[in-house]
Amino acid sequence: MKVLESRFAEGFIRMSNDGWLQGWHECHGGNLTYRLTSEEVDDVKEDLCYGDSWVSLPEAVPGIGGDYFLVTGSGKFMRNMTVDPEDSFGMIEIDERGRSYRIVWGFSGGGRPTSELPAHLMNQEVIKRRTNGNYRVVYHAHPANIIALSFVLPLKDEIFTRELWEMEPECAMTFPSGMGVIPWMVPGTAEIARLTCRMMEEYDVVLWAQHGLFAAGDTFDNTFGLMHTVEKAAQMLNLVLAAGGKHHVPSVQEFRDMAEAFHLELPEKFLYEKQ
Ligand code: 2HA
Ligand code: ZN
């Protein structure tokens, strides 16, 4: 089968385009990676082209050695994913020791993987281990409302998580372990990748202050849904702050009741009493 006939490529393109339609991918902003199953690799083997030019990675990722990923391209536009997929993204194979990668499909115009490849691969390694292989998708986007809040609220996991959870029940259901927050850092570096990895040991979604969101999940639907839910809650919070602030919020006891009804494990550190 051709890569572009596969369900996984279809899901990858659709998710990228959905992010574009949401306004999260101005210019070259944002990137997406997906770790293929071995069956998916076998299904498209005939369409892959194995060169021998391996590119070394800034930090080894042995936990994903031998794995294959779909990866959006550096300097490419999410806006073009549907019209020119083969140029906009590609597939890479990681060597067995996790020290380098090679392109096996796509990047037809001579492109290369996203500038945030270190953050994607290092976090793919963390989430694969943490979820026993269940998580496959890592998504970075620039949604305006959550970025705006990072100029206003204290940059603390406890504050962002609780403020967003209060906006609608879907939030605690979609990110029950909370949201991590890291300060502004230079994009594309191993440093931002490392700090995000520390957060990903605990959370599925991390805010890069004054930059964007970084999220992980099992499926395209769930990972897109997580990004969308955080951004929707941030939009409501901005509306509320513009209107003068919150007057009514769910109580700690109401969060506990919801956790019981929906079998959520909400960490105690987010269930503090506010004055
Ligand atoms: O340009 O979003 O963080 C791609 C990015 C870098
Ligand atoms: Zn970015």
Side-chain angles (χ1 to χ4, degrees):
M1 181 195 302
K2 299 274 187 206
V3 170
L4 289 178
E5 290 164 357
S6 68
R7 285 294 300 269
F8 63 87
E10 183 191 340
F12 190 85
I13 294 166
R14 178 176 171 219
M15 176 157 164
S16 304
N17 192 56
D18 284 348
W20 155 249
L21 294 174
Q22 290 292 331
W24 301 341
H25 298 299
E26 74 290 343
C27 201
H28 309 138
N31 22 75
L32 177 64
T33 56
Y34 170 74
R35 181 170 56 82
L36 279 74
T37 67
S38 50
E39 294 77 28
E40 287 167 338
V41 176
D42 286 343
D43 285 347
V44 299
K45 266 262 152 80
E46 64 183 48
D47 199 25
L48 306 185
C49 176
Y50 293 84
D52 51 11
S53 62
W54 292 90
V55 182
S56 60
L57 293 165
E59 191 137 329
V61 282
I64 52 169
D67 283 339
Y68 288 67
F69 292 88
L70 292 185
V71 182
T72 50
S74 176
K76 301 297 179 188
F77 295 72
M78 290 295 208
R79 180 171 166 251
N80 290 337
M81 285 290 278
T82 53
V83 291
D84 200 357
E86 208 155 341
D87 181 60
S88 302
F89 72 99
M91 191 189 300
I92 61 171
E93 177 196 13
I94 311 294
D95 78 57
E96 287 299 329
R97 295 193 300 174
R99 294 188 179 179
S100 59
Y101 73 86
R102 64 176 167 182
I103 294 169
V104 298
W105 180 91
F107 300 121
S108 59
R112 60 192 159 83
T114 166
S115 59
E116 299 288 3
L117 191 67
H120 276 264
L121 294 182
M122 288 160 66
N123 281 280
Q124 285 279 5
E125 183 183 41
V126 168
I127 58 165
K128 181 184 179 187
R129 172 177 42 74
R130 173 163 73 76
T131 68
N132 295 318
N134 191 35
Y135 277 23
R136 300 184 172 277
V137 183
V138 168
Y139 184 33
H140 167 58
H142 298 169
N145 284 285
I146 189 72
I147 297 171
L149 283 174
S150 74
F151 288 86
V152 179
L153 294 181
L155 299 177
K156 292 192 179 332
D157 309 0
E158 286 79 358
I159 304 238
F160 268 85
T161 299
R162 181 66 177 277
E163 291 296 322
L164 294 176
W165 278 3
E166 286 176 354
M167 302 316 298
E168 52 155 341
E170 196 68 26
C171 289
M173 294 181 199
T174 309
F175 49 106
S177 54
M179 184 169 91
V181 184
I182 67 172
W184 190 92
M185 296 176 78
V186 178
T189 55
E191 286 69 36
I192 197 169
R194 266 185 228 116
L195 193 51
T196 309
C197 284
R198 289 228 291 277
M199 294 282 174
M200 276 285 168
E201 295 286 352
E202 188 175 345
Y203 306 117
D204 287 348
V205 58
V206 178
L207 172 60
W208 289 358
Q210 298 96 43
H211 179 163
L213 276 178
F214 200 86
D218 52 354
T219 62
F220 294 123
D221 278 349
N222 284 333
T223 315
F224 187 85
L226 172 57
M227 185 75 68
H228 201 186
T229 305
V230 169
E231 174 59 2
K232 173 82 179 282
Q235 182 184 13
M236 289 186 279
L237 184 51
N238 281 327
L239 290 171
V240 169
L241 292 174
K246 295 175 180 175
H247 293 296
H248 321 285
V249 290
S251 67
V252 170
Q253 188 54 50
E254 285 168 329
F255 277 114
R256 293 193 195 286
D257 294 344
M258 183 173 75
E260 197 181 320
F262 289 90
H263 311 291
L264 306 173
E265 282 182 34
L266 304 180
E268 278 300 316
K269 68 176 173 179
F270 300 127
L271 297 176
Y272 51 87
E273 292 296 343
K274 289 175 149 184
Q275 23 270 347

